[in-house]
Amino acid sequence: MAADREGRGAPNVSTFQRFSVDTNESLHFDPCENSSPSPTGAEDGQDDRDDVFKEEETEDEIIMIRNQLQGKVAEMENFAGHLEEIFLTVEDNFGRQEQHLEQHYNDVLQTLSQRYDERAAGLEEEKKNKLEELYSQLLNCGRAMDASKELIEKAQEIYRYQDKRLFLKVDSLVFAPTAEFAKDEVDLTLSTNLEFNTPLADLSDVKTMMDSINVVPAPSAPVINPQMPNSATQTSLRVCWSLFSDDTVEYYELYYRPVLEDTLADAAFTDVNVKETHCTVTDLLPNAQYELWVTATNTTGISPASEKALYMTVPSPPVIKQRECSSCPEAALIRWQSGNTDPVDSYTVELSEMAADGPESSVTESIVAVPTCQCLIQLQAGRRYLIAVRAVNIGGPSDKSEVITISTTGTLFYLLEDTAHPCLSVSEDGFTIFYGDEELPISAMALDDENTFTRCVAVLGDLIPVRGRHYWEVEVDDGTEFRIGVAYEDTERSSYLGANSTSWCMRHILSPSRHKYEFLHNGWSPDLRITVNPVRIGVALDYERDTLSFFNVNLEQHLHTFRCRFQSYVQPCFSLDNPGALTVHNGIQAPAYAFM
Amino acid sequence: IRSLVSESEMALTQVSSNKCAGGFQKVFEHDSSELKCKMKFAVYLPPKAETEKCPVLYWLSGLTCTEQNFITKAGSQLSAAEHGLIIVAPDTSPRGCNIEGEDESWDFGTGAGFYVDATQDPWKTNYRMYSYVTQELPKLINANFPTDPERMSVSGHSMGGHGALICALKNPGKYKSVSAFAPICNPVQCPWGQKAFSGYLGPDRSSWEAYDATVLAASYSGPQLDILIDQGRDDQFLSASQLLPDNLIAVCSEKKIPVVFRLQPGYDHSYYFMYSFMNDHIKHHAKYLNA
């Protein structure tokens, strides 16, 4: 064994084992002789400590080598296994290929022999016909010859007559037919063509067969995969399919068309050619179902179509309705529009907390499977959150909506402008209400919107329905007559705030002599005097203690506390009893005294 | 009976101690240097006082009262315990000084000190209730109880309401807040005040004005006050023009001194009335004392 000899001839060159192919064992491992380092070889004469150290070092080295060797062995075994697998596959494939070839050649031979038989039979038939014709011509010729001979004999006989008169007499009798006969021209041309009519053999089909022996068969129908999660976008679908491993395919054709629920007619389909077994179809409609199928084509032909698969594009992102969102230190109510004409399966609300020192944030929480276009989210007080919504269907989630920033320092609400009395106008930012001097036309007053305040020039706020503590402030002019407080959402629209059992409010009245303040509920107010007119009023609603308190914010002065029994959620309410304006200040952290 | 000796050598003698609302309602007696007599005062110590320094609310009682009326009738202890306030309620006048005429009427002399420092004989030696409640008593309290001297408030009823108002108005910044039940708002203008002031301060009406809440309010300058006043509408002394809250309100409105004045329908001048709104007052003080 050459390898072995080399190993012995050059000791210490390598410490690795070598393997060689032996006759008996396919893989034979053969340790190198003289290759393992000797602990006492060249280092003889060193002291014991060094020896011990060396020994340890050597041992370590041996262990390392052994490990390396074990690794190699494992690798080799692995490789051998692979080879075996490949061998089996090759054998298998070869067998199949052989069978395939054999069958093809059999087919070709069969076809050829069939052709041969057909051609031979044809030629035989032609030969027979020609012979028959020639034979009958031969017979005719013989007969003509016989008749000629007979006439000649007769003529000779008459010629020998003595009587020339008789001869002449007979002549008219006899020579007439003779002359006639002589007139008959005997056809001496061959009635049949000597050439055999051999049309060119059409062997194109055989040729095709021969050719097809060298190419693969036409592919079978591909298998289209069901839609994978997160493979779709608003306008595109990533489609995947597979086929039997034997098939060779030059390209695929993917067909797709939208599934229209409202019409029975099928929509026209589009097709694309692709080389890969996947394709991203673009320019689609959002939140729509598509029917897709695929065929495979190679030089031999086109496969049958796959099954039809249903895929769905993801919805368009929802649109957050900022003016209909509200929040408080413990929660936020987010409302949005679907953004899609067709219904989606659900919505996902994603929220992340904004770090105090920067805009960096990551998704910290997702609320999934929200069935409607609103979601009440529990939050921590005193933070800032970024909130976005996605619409979800079977195809996956849409892109994020615009992000809304929610700050949980205080309570934030917008006004329910559809409740506003016709004389009331609301500023662009939604927080200042005006009651103008000018008379409104009767037509404007005659609005029969059931939700609108009809007598009290009032508007309701849209407070988040959370039974916690809420605080907001109202800025007024001390010449403005106003009512501010809370009311049930269904408080009588034809009655004044505080005049009924469904509203609680602080009222400012300007009398000729002084400013009068009332704290009205059910038409009754305690009798109290306030020496400094509040121009910024804090309103503290505490569902836990069932109280509604008012403060002069500038003085931190407590003005009044209603002790109520709130049967259901209340809404902030604001009204102006004379022309003027008031401004609602929102999202303010409640001062400590507001909920003492 | 336990004796406590303070740093300033003011001796306190405990007269009674009762557990109340988780804390203790105690009464002490001491020798007052201002009043030259033995004085009793009540002190409520909330549970919080066992571990922390607490703010103090001084309660000034009305005519004829001792330290007992408030602690037995006003129902302040639960609320004080809740907010962690110490409430100190002194007596309303020197007692046992043997001054001629001190016991002749209920609205002058004993039980009617009017929280002034008398300048007239024979009262000027002992009837120094203003100095007593604003100086001596706070010192004594701060020396003997776990208090935060920076946080004190004052409140009172009727004559005590007048006392509370003048203490706050005469000492800007000393009291964090002030409130009163049915206070005598303008004593210079009412029979009670005129009788007392002429007796203690003499005929010079200008000297009276130093102890008149309405007059003091008109010239007040100092840190912002927040005054809460409750007044029973059926208070016989209101209709008898002894209290005159409108005068004070008018001045405060003009001077922009914040007052919330609540006229409570059906209530009279009694402790039943005070009891009904005591929590609001304790809360009013707690808001500023615990801020």
Side-chain angles (χ1 to χ4, degrees), chain A residues 55-364:
Chain A
E55 226 166 284
E56 269 179 21
E57 199 179 64
T58 314
E59 249 174 63
D60 284 351
E61 221 170 297
I62 288 169
I63 287 167
M64 203 179 72
I65 290 163
R66 199 185 61 205
N67 288 343
Q68 277 174 338
L69 290 177
Q70 277 170 350
K72 283 273 170 193
V73 171
E75 242 174 75
M76 294 301 300
E77 278 169 359
N78 209 3
F79 181 63
H82 264 293
L83 278 179
E84 202 171 343
E85 232 174 84
I86 291 166
F87 175 80
L88 285 176
T89 312
V90 167
E91 202 166 42
D92 196 34
N93 283 355
F94 179 76
R96 239 186 295 161
Q97 197 69 17
E98 195 181 25
Q99 213 176 348
H100 187 62
L101 273 175
E102 206 173 282
Q103 204 192 322
H104 261 91
Y105 278 114
N106 282 343
D107 286 352
V108 170
L109 285 177
Q110 209 177 328
T111 312
L112 281 174
S113 88
Q114 202 181 326
R115 277 303 158 77
Y116 169 78
D117 288 350
E118 277 169 23
R119 289 299 278 281
L123 282 171
E124 197 65 36
E125 182 76 12
E126 200 173 348
K127 179 182 145 194
K128 195 176 133 198
N129 289 344
K130 279 185 196 292
L131 285 177
E132 270 173 17
E133 211 167 319
L134 286 172
Y135 180 69
S136 65
Q137 201 176 7
L138 195 62
L139 286 181
N140 285 342
C141 280
R143 245 181 267 131
M145 228 146 67
D146 286 350
S148 300
K149 273 181 193 166
E150 206 176 314
L151 275 175
I152 290 167
E153 275 171 24
K154 240 178 204 169
Q156 279 177 344
E157 201 177 312
I158 292 162
Y159 179 69
R160 272 178 238 128
Y161 281 173
Q162 301 305 317
D163 188 355
K164 288 303 174 189
R165 204 185 24 133
L166 186 70
F167 171 78
L168 283 172
K169 197 181 169 188
V170 174
D171 183 53
S172 60
L173 290 171
V174 176
F175 275 91
T178 309
E180 214 146 300
F181 178 78
K183 261 187 224 165
D184 274 356
E185 273 192 46
V186 179
D187 187 6
L188 293 179
T189 59
L190 277 172
S191 66
T192 177
N193 194 350
L194 291 179
E195 293 298 318
F196 278 86
N197 179 25
T198 51
L200 276 174
D202 178 16
L203 291 174
S204 62
D205 52 345
V206 178
K207 191 174 183 300
T208 315
M209 285 177 83
M210 290 297 286
D211 286 347
S212 76
I213 291 169
N214 292 325
V215 299
V216 283
S220 43
V223 177
I224 194 159
N225 296 351
Q227 185 167 9
M228 295 285 288
N230 301 320
S231 64
T233 72
Q234 208 175 310
T235 57
S236 73
L237 292 169
R238 186 183 155 89
V239 192
C240 292
W241 58 87
S242 56
L243 76 166
F244 296 114
S245 56
D246 288 353
D247 288 338
T248 303
V249 175
E250 200 164 299
Y251 62 89
Y252 298 94
E253 273 180 289
L254 175 65
Y255 301 83
Y256 60 93
R257 65 179 170 205
V259 177
L260 304 172
E261 281 178 16
D262 48 348
T263 57
L264 289 169
D266 280 338
F269 62 78
T270 314
D271 70 310
V272 280
N273 286 13
V274 274
K275 297 264 187 204
E276 299 83 12
T277 56
H278 56 84
C279 177
T280 302
V281 184
T282 54
D283 294 331
L284 305 179
L285 298 169
N287 196 31
Q289 202 173 36
Y290 282 86
E291 190 175 49
L292 304 105
W293 65 97
V294 67
T295 62
T297 303
N298 62 19
T299 46
T300 314
I302 303 174
S303 76
S306 68
E307 299 268 304
K308 283 176 180 171
L310 289 176
Y311 276 47
M312 193 133 189
T313 52
V314 303
S316 301
V319 181
I320 291 181
K321 297 192 278 190
Q322 174 121 23
R323 283 281 176 100
E324 291 181 31
C325 294
S326 49
S327 62
C328 67
E330 303 114 85
L333 177 65
I334 307 296
R335 292 187 173 119
W336 59 87
Q337 278 172 335
S338 167
N340 294 277
T341 42
D342 289 329
V344 299
D345 292 354
S346 68
Y347 298 93
T348 299
V349 180
E350 294 178 355
L351 61 140
S352 58
E353 194 186 317
M354 272 172 93
D357 50 350
E360 292 294 313
S361 63
S362 57
V363 172
T364 53

Side-chain angles (χ1 to χ4, degrees), chain A residues 478 524 526-533 545 551 554-561 563 593 596, chain B residues 83 224 226-227 233 246 249 252-253 256-263 265 280 283 286-288:
Chain A
D478 72 353
W524 184 87
D527 186 348
L528 89 181
R529 301 278 294 276
I530 293 168
T531 54
V532 180
N533 302 329
R545 295 191 210 168
F551 300 89
N554 296 336
L555 303 178
E556 302 188 0
Q557 184 187 30
H558 173 253
L559 301 175
H560 182 67
T561 295
R563 285 167 219 291
Y593 60 77
M596 241 182 68
Chain B
H83 293 102
Q224 188 180 283
D226 181 2
I227 304 173
R233 188 181 276 164
D246 289 339
I249 288 162
C252 287
S253 297
K256 303 262 180 252
I257 296 172
V259 177
V260 170
F261 176 84
R262 313 193 296 188
L263 196 58
D280 288 350
K283 201 170 155 182
K287 171 178 155 191
Y288 293 99

Side-chain angles (χ1 to χ4, degrees), chain B residues 117-136:
Chain B
D117 285 346
T119 56
Q120 303 298 308
D121 285 324
W123 313 102
K124 65 179 184 188
T125 309
N126 304 100
Y127 281 72
R128 297 179 54 77
M129 283 302 286
Y130 175 72
S131 291
Y132 177 67
V133 298
T134 57
Q135 302 293 331
E136 186 184 1

Side-chain angles (χ1 to χ4, degrees), chain A residues 258-561:
Chain A
V259 177
L260 304 172
E261 281 178 16
D262 48 348
T263 57
L264 289 169
D266 280 338
F269 62 78
T270 314
D271 70 310
V272 280
N273 286 13
V274 274
K275 297 264 187 204
E276 299 83 12
T277 56
H278 56 84
C279 177
T280 302
V281 184
T282 54
D283 294 331
L284 305 179
L285 298 169
N287 196 31
Q289 202 173 36
Y290 282 86
E291 190 175 49
L292 304 105
W293 65 97
V294 67
T295 62
T297 303
N298 62 19
T299 46
T300 314
I302 303 174
S303 76
S306 68
E307 299 268 304
K308 283 176 180 171
L310 289 176
Y311 276 47
M312 193 133 189
T313 52
V314 303
S316 301
V319 181
I320 291 181
K321 297 192 278 190
Q322 174 121 23
R323 283 281 176 100
E324 291 181 31
C325 294
S326 49
S327 62
C328 67
E330 303 114 85
L333 177 65
I334 307 296
R335 292 187 173 119
W336 59 87
Q337 278 172 335
S338 167
N340 294 277
T341 42
D342 289 329
V344 299
D345 292 354
S346 68
Y347 298 93
T348 299
V349 180
E350 294 178 355
L351 61 140
S352 58
E353 194 186 317
M354 272 172 93
D357 50 350
E360 292 294 313
S361 63
S362 57
V363 172
T364 53
E365 206 181 321
S366 288
I367 299 153
V368 299
V370 179
T372 54
C373 284
Q374 65 174 48
C375 182
L376 188 66
I377 310 160
Q378 299 296 313
L379 300 174
Q380 302 276 315
R383 315 276 174 92
R384 276 163 76 77
Y385 294 90
L386 298 174
I387 298 178
V389 186
R390 294 178 198 266
V392 181
N393 67 15
I394 202 161
S398 72
D399 286 343
K400 261 191 205 177
S401 67
E402 293 274 306
V403 173
I404 186 174
T405 307
I406 295 289
S407 166
T408 53
T409 45
T411 292
L412 177 78
F413 58 85
Y414 287 89
L415 298 178
L416 291 165
E417 292 185 31
D418 62 326
T419 64
H421 185 278
C423 289
L424 213 57
S425 54
V426 180
S427 68
E428 206 169 301
D429 69 2
F431 294 120
T432 301
I433 61 170
F434 305 93
Y435 177 14
D437 299 281
E438 62 272 22
E439 289 279 312
L440 271 188
I442 298 296
S443 59
M445 305 291 289
L447 280 175
D448 52 0
D449 186 344
E450 279 178 20
N451 210 17
T452 303
F453 281 99
T454 53
R455 284 176 74 186
C456 190
V457 183
V459 65
L460 292 180
D462 183 19
L463 189 65
I464 187 167
V466 170
R467 285 199 159 266
R469 290 168 164 183
H470 303 287
Y471 178 81
W472 60 93
E473 292 177 1
V474 181
E475 195 181 328
V476 289
D477 195 276
D478 72 353
T480 306
E481 292 190 304
F482 59 82
R483 294 165 197 252
I484 57 174
V486 300
Y488 290 129
E489 191 161 5
D490 61 355
T491 190
E492 255 180 275
R493 298 295 195 260
S494 61
S495 119
Y496 281 92
L497 295 176
N500 47 44
S501 63
T502 54
S503 57
W504 294 257
C505 71
M506 171 179 176
R507 181 186 180 194
H508 175 223
I509 307 154
L510 274 172
S511 74
S513 57
R514 64 185 184 100
H515 295 267
K516 195 168 176 231
Y517 293 92
E518 289 182 341
F519 293 88
L520 278 169
H521 175 58
N522 234 339
W524 184 87
S525 169
D527 186 348
L528 89 181
R529 301 278 294 276
I530 293 168
T531 54
V532 180
N533 302 329
V535 289
R536 188 151 175 145
I537 299 155
V539 184
L541 170 65
D542 189 341
Y543 280 110
E544 289 157 32
R545 295 191 210 168
D546 270 338
T547 58
L548 175 70
S549 302
F550 294 86
F551 300 89
N552 180 331
V553 175
N554 296 336
L555 303 178
E556 302 188 0
Q557 184 187 30
H558 173 253
L559 301 175
H560 182 67
T561 295

Side-chain angles (χ1 to χ4, degrees), chain B residues 130-147:
Chain B
Y130 175 72
S131 291
Y132 177 67
V133 298
T134 57
Q135 302 293 331
E136 186 184 1
L137 188 59
K139 254 183 230 159
L140 186 71
I141 297 298
N142 292 336
N144 289 283
F145 299 97
T147 65

